Amino acid sequence: MSIPADTTPKFAEYAVGDRLVSTEWLAGHLGTPGLVVIESDEDVLLYETGHIPGAIKIDWHTELNDPITRDYLDGAGFADLMARKGIGRDTTVVFYGDKSNWWASYAMWVFRLFGHPDVRLLDGGRALWIAEGRDMTTDRPTISPAAYPVIERDDSTIRAFKDEVLGHLGKPMVDVRSPLEYSGERTHMPDYPEEGALRGGHIPGAQSVPWARAANEDGTFKSRAELEAIYVGEKGLAPDDDVIAYCRIGERSSHTWFVLTYLLGFQQVRNYDGSWTEWGNAVKVPIVKGEEPGSAP
Amino acid sequence: MNALPASLQQIADEFAALEPAQRLELLLEFSNDLPALPERLAKHPELLEPVPECQSPIFLAVEVGDDGRVRLHFSAPPEAPTTRGFAGILHEGLDGLSPAEVLAVPDDLPNRLSLTEQVSPLRLRGMAGMLARIKGQVARSTAAGVPATR
């Protein structure tokens, strides 16, 4: 990596110690050549109300998704986006965002589909930066277009599709949605529009670990020991397991993908981005209701 | 397609006339221009109805005044500018209309603002939720014959 990692002791404990940066580190590195800071939010207008000085915006909905097919950009589209954002293949990219970095993790995961090498996440995200009283601005940075190679997207390593999930039944899966979404109760609440799913419940065998369990109150990640107590101790997952994580559309499960892959060093974690908006609408796929994982039919 | 009230149609026309990227800027203006709650409501948050359809916390209160006009009040945090923007549109477009006019607003209003490319579907459903709750409060207070907040 061209820009040295943040050597905060907490990060050194994680399986991959250089994927997180602290607010302190970022504040000290703003403006470093070869570093691009990206804000990715759930709220499409939040960046405009104020952002970290020099940070650019990437919107998951308008920029990372294909506008027609339910899919992501292709290699040429990603190369074009990177070029317009002033990102080269060797650029160090630090992501941060709202909602404890859901969308920042999601953007990072999409970058990894294209194998972008140096991606890091701001521990604590946007909320911690603001809580610490650090500088924000509404000035948009001037971007110098960069050259970015066309790299074909690799959907085989960290992404799972519905048929692969069907073939994975009986193997480790993590449902990172809220307990009511997991049990399927949510769809029974009167007057509430469904989150785009016809059926409620979870994929048979999936363990419930709401994404937020990996985060502290201030949005930073829990320590490695605390995370291991949850995913390994309590849920029985092992670092060499083949794990699929999912949520509603793949954003919260990107957060868990980050935790399992980089903080705990799991070797094979895939994010099922179709998630419940696909599974809960698919015909004849098995579903389990209630609080127990259940088993594959 | 049912017509929008003139006030909302004017807003819809403004959005439609802009380039897609500028539409977000206009939405941000609505967000910034959303009036604060009057003090009597700010002191009594229990009078406000939550809108769980929105991904961000927003609360609203609807009153029908002695003049027979609908008055809207919203509370949404600055960290939720898109939700505030939708509230701002509803405030500017609906405040001061008669109950019958509010009840006649088409439910597909969120899809008529030329924002479907920029704003995710779940967000637009949140705005539909706000509209449904506004209509519900208007219907209840006019049926009861008393100008009540809930």
Side-chain angles (χ1 to χ4, degrees), chain A residues 42-261:
Chain A
E42 197 279 331
D43 192 307
V44 68
L45 282 180
L46 196 54
Y47 171 89
E48 282 76 5
T49 68
H51 50 82
I52 294 177
I56 62 169
K57 167 186 177 177
I58 287 190
D59 183 65
W60 66 278
H61 179 62
T62 59
E63 295 183 303
L64 296 179
N65 284 2
D66 182 278
I68 310 294
T69 308
R70 184 175 173 187
D71 200 357
Y72 301 101
L73 295 168
D74 61 13
F78 186 73
D80 179 57
L81 178 70
M82 293 302 95
R84 283 186 285 114
K85 299 292 181 182
I87 297 170
R89 189 70 175 168
D90 56 356
T91 299
T92 297
V93 179
V94 171
F95 297 90
Y96 76 98
D98 62 356
K99 310 258 176 188
S100 300
N101 281 332
W102 288 0
W103 302 94
S105 308
Y106 184 77
M108 177 195 270
W109 175 74
V110 173
F111 272 55
R112 287 300 301 156
L113 290 176
F114 294 96
H116 189 89
D118 192 354
V119 289
R120 311 183 194 183
L121 201 55
L122 175 65
D123 198 26
R126 180 185 162 97
L128 182 63
W129 182 275
I130 292 173
E132 291 174 345
R134 298 183 186 275
D135 288 348
M136 296 286 278
T137 181
T138 53
D139 295 342
R140 283 172 176 273
T142 313
I143 298 175
S144 316
Y148 200 93
V150 174
I151 309 279
E152 286 315 310
R153 202 179 63 222
D154 173 8
D155 286 339
S156 65
T157 312
I158 60 170
R159 186 178 187 193
F161 296 99
K162 182 181 127 235
D163 287 346
E164 292 166 347
V165 177
L166 275 169
H168 190 84
L169 292 176
K171 293 188 200 159
M173 267 188 276
V174 181
D175 183 318
V176 315
R177 299 172 301 160
S178 62
L180 287 180
E181 290 172 279
Y182 179 83
S183 67
E185 277 174 60
R186 252 197 92 110
T187 53
H188 291 287
M189 291 168 84
D191 295 337
Y192 288 56
E194 311 305 328
E195 289 193 313
L198 293 172
R199 289 289 187 268
H202 56 266
I203 300 176
Q207 305 246 29
S208 171
V209 189
W211 69 275
R213 291 194 63 192
N216 293 311
E217 292 257 319
D218 64 0
T220 55
F221 288 101
K222 286 182 178 166
S223 69
R224 181 168 186 175
E226 290 170 312
L227 294 172
E228 278 175 344
I230 297 169
Y231 295 97
V232 180
E234 182 185 323
K235 298 298 176 183
L237 300 175
D240 57 354
D241 277 348
D242 177 5
V243 182
I244 290 177
Y246 70 93
C247 57
R248 188 180 64 81
I249 55 172
E251 85 293 19
R252 286 172 285 180
S253 44
S254 298
H255 190 271
T256 298
W257 163 80
F258 179 86
V259 169
L260 293 177
T261 301

Side-chain angles (χ1 to χ4, degrees), chain B residues 125-149:
Chain B
R125 275 211 287 284
M127 186 190 200
M130 279 188 238
L131 178 61
R133 280 163 197 282
I134 290 167
K135 286 187 181 185
Q137 288 203 26
V138 168
R140 286 196 295 278
S141 57
T142 50
V146 288
T149 47

